[in-house]
């Protein structure tokens, strides 16, 4: 239900296509009240083709250290959390977005991890809807 997360649907889909075969992408639904039917409807509304996971007990939330939607996590091939945080800096605040992002933290982290490097930035604060409100 987070409008900021929903606005990122095209970006997530573009990145999934760009990194196809090199990185796996999942949408994680942390709201314990989110039914499989609601999730399927959301995926259809935003034309998502990537896999969706329900996380009603917040196991993935804790593993990824996520606190905000949209917040992303990049794991190394060894399962180590390499980056977590915002996708980019499109949003300056909850009510103010740039016309286009000027940084691309998720893409940068993916490139670094896929090259066997430690991401230049390990975390970047995200702006969006709090996951803790759903606990």
């Amino acid at each position: 239900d987070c409008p900021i997360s929903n606005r990122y649907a095209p970006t997530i889909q573009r990145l999934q296509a760009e990194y196809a075969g090199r990185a796996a992408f999942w949408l994680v639904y942390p709201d314990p009240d989110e039914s499989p039917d609601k999730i399927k409807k959301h995926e259809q509304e935003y034309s998502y083709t990537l896999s969706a996971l329900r996380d009603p007990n917040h196991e993935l939330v804790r593993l990824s250290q996520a606190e905000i939607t949209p917040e992303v996590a990049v794991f190394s091939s060894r399962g180590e959390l390499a980056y977590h945080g915002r996708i980019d800096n499109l949003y300056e605040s909850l009510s103010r977005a740039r016309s286009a992002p000027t940084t691309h933290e998720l893409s940068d982290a993916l490139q670094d991890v896929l090259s066997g490097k430690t991401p230049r930035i390990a975390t970047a604060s995200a702006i969006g809807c709090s996951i803790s409100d759903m606990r």
Side-chain angles (χ1 to χ4, degrees), residues 35-54:
S35 71
D37 288 339
K38 281 184 174 180
I39 291 171
K40 188 172 198 147
K41 182 180 178 187
H42 181 257
E43 291 175 305
Q44 290 170 344
E45 286 177 12
Y46 291 92
S47 302
Y48 277 117
T49 59
L50 57 153
S51 298
L53 301 170
R54 286 185 73 236

Side-chain angles (χ1 to χ4, degrees), residues 49 62 65 77 84 88-89 91 106 113-114 118 124 126 132-133:
T49 59
R62 282 188 289 282
Q65 300 178 18
S77 60
H84 76 281
D88 57 32
N89 72 343
Y91 280 86
L106 174 55
V113 168
L114 290 170
T118 299
S132 63
D133 291 346

